[in-house]
Amino acid sequence: MSVRPPHAVERLRAELKSASTRPFKARGARLQRCPGCLLAAHACVCSWRPQLDSQVGFCLIMHPLEPLKPTNTGRLIADCITDTHAFVWSRTSVDPALLELLKDPQWQAYVVFPAEYAQAGQPVVDTIKPDGGKRPLLIIFDATWTQARKMFRKSPWLDGLPILSLQTEQLSRYRLRRSTREEHLCTVEVATACLGLAGEAAGANLLNDYFDVFTDAYLASRGNCAATAELPSRQRLAEHLGVSAQISDGPQALAAQSPDCGAGPDK
């Protein structure tokens, strides 16, 4: 069996851990986690990753803590879409590899952000229509909303790129961290909206289903209970992947009626 090479977010996570002078302590640090999906071993979702054949590329500009967080959803995009790039944001410098990516003639880059934050003269669009056969490269800030606004404002090297402003009434289904605004989508929800806008509805639906399975498994992981075998999104992913939707009742898979199961979101 071939070993899957690490994707962009996994490489970034490894680099940050290697450079850190002290270990990152996520909530539930004592939990024995799968090194791939960062969930508890009994709730692992690595085998549920759909591989999407997409013309869309994603570029994640990540707050330095995001690649380390088990609740991060940007890595779900990289799990499923090969052309996902990831860079750590810095106020004082920009990764030369990121600047080279933005100059690559195969891509037409868009910054996915609300139109009201566009700089003076910066073009704003609400459709994805690359010119000259180029593929769309969608730049997403992977951070809390407060952090993302600061990162956008202090990234002048993005000023010349068009803003892609999503026009969606979708409310966030993200349950793993608190947010003050339901209309603030998490990173993977932004990606699914972009895929739909690019005419890739089937891929958007599969990524949404993977997000649902991840969220359910994360809550089960945190609550010491079993993931939900009858989850509709799990059933659809199982059909797509050609596997059984059933979850094994191994010694670590605890009863779903655990009183801690489904506890409130992490901060």
Side-chain angles (χ1 to χ4, degrees):
M1 181 178 177
S2 62
V3 177
R4 179 185 63 83
H7 57 57
V9 178
E10 291 170 333
R11 292 195 298 270
L12 207 55
R13 174 182 172 82
E15 291 169 8
L16 290 170
K17 289 181 68 176
S18 176
S20 178
T21 57
R22 59 180 182 177
F24 175 76
K25 296 283 188 176
R27 200 173 197 181
R30 298 180 189 176
L31 190 68
Q32 183 161 359
R33 298 181 183 274
C34 166
C37 63
L38 305 183
L39 304 184
H42 77 268
C44 172
V45 296
C46 288
S47 61
W48 293 93
R49 299 175 177 180
Q51 296 305 299
L52 306 183
D53 183 15
S54 175
Q55 283 297 302
V56 177
F58 288 94
C59 177
L60 303 177
I61 310 297
M62 308 184 78
H63 184 275
L65 290 181
E66 284 298 330
L68 301 170
K69 294 179 179 179
T71 52
N72 174 261
T73 67
R75 62 191 168 90
L76 303 185
I77 306 168
D79 283 346
C80 302
I81 297 178
T82 301
D83 284 322
T84 300
H85 309 264
F87 301 91
V88 169
W89 181 82
S90 170
R91 182 180 61 82
T92 58
S93 63
V94 55
D95 191 324
L98 171 56
L99 297 180
E100 286 299 314
L101 175 65
L102 298 181
K103 291 189 292 186
D104 189 328
Q106 73 168 306
W107 299 111
Q108 179 165 324
Y110 301 84
V111 182
V112 185
F113 217 71
E116 59 264 34
Y117 295 94
Q119 302 295 320
Q122 189 171 18
V124 176
V125 299
D126 57 11
T127 59
I128 299 175
K129 294 181 179 178
D131 298 324
K134 292 184 178 183
R135 298 172 59 192
L137 179 69
L138 305 180
I139 300 169
I140 302 176
F141 290 101
D142 192 4
T144 67
W145 175 239
T146 300
Q147 291 165 347
R149 283 186 299 176
K150 174 184 176 181
M151 291 160 66
F152 175 82
R153 191 173 66 251
K154 295 182 178 294
S155 299
W157 39 273
L158 293 176
D159 289 353
L161 298 177
I163 296 292
L164 175 62
S165 183
L166 296 178
Q167 307 297 319
T168 176
E169 296 180 358
Q170 174 184 340
L171 297 181
S172 179
R173 296 176 291 113
Y174 189 48
R175 294 179 286 155
L176 306 185
R177 298 185 216 162
R178 291 184 176 91
S179 176
T180 57
R181 303 278 294 275
E182 288 184 331
E183 67 270 26
H184 288 169
L185 305 181
C186 71
T187 305
V188 73
E189 289 174 318
V190 171
T192 60
C194 289
L195 287 175
L197 195 60
E200 298 187 5
N205 290 337
L206 285 170
L207 187 56
N208 255 328
D209 284 343
Y210 180 52
F211 171 48
D212 279 347
V213 168
F214 167 79
T215 300
D216 177 72
Y218 185 94
L219 294 173
S221 177
R222 190 176 63 201
N224 281 337
C225 55
T228 309
E230 65 275 13
L231 194 71
S233 51
R234 185 181 289 270
Q235 301 287 338
R236 290 190 295 268
L237 271 184
E239 182 177 350
H240 172 77
L241 296 169
V243 299
S244 170
Q246 295 305 307
I247 301 170
S248 64
D249 296 323
Q252 298 184 65
L254 305 179
Q257 59 268 30
S258 167
D260 294 327
C261 189
D266 287 342
K267 294 183 180 178

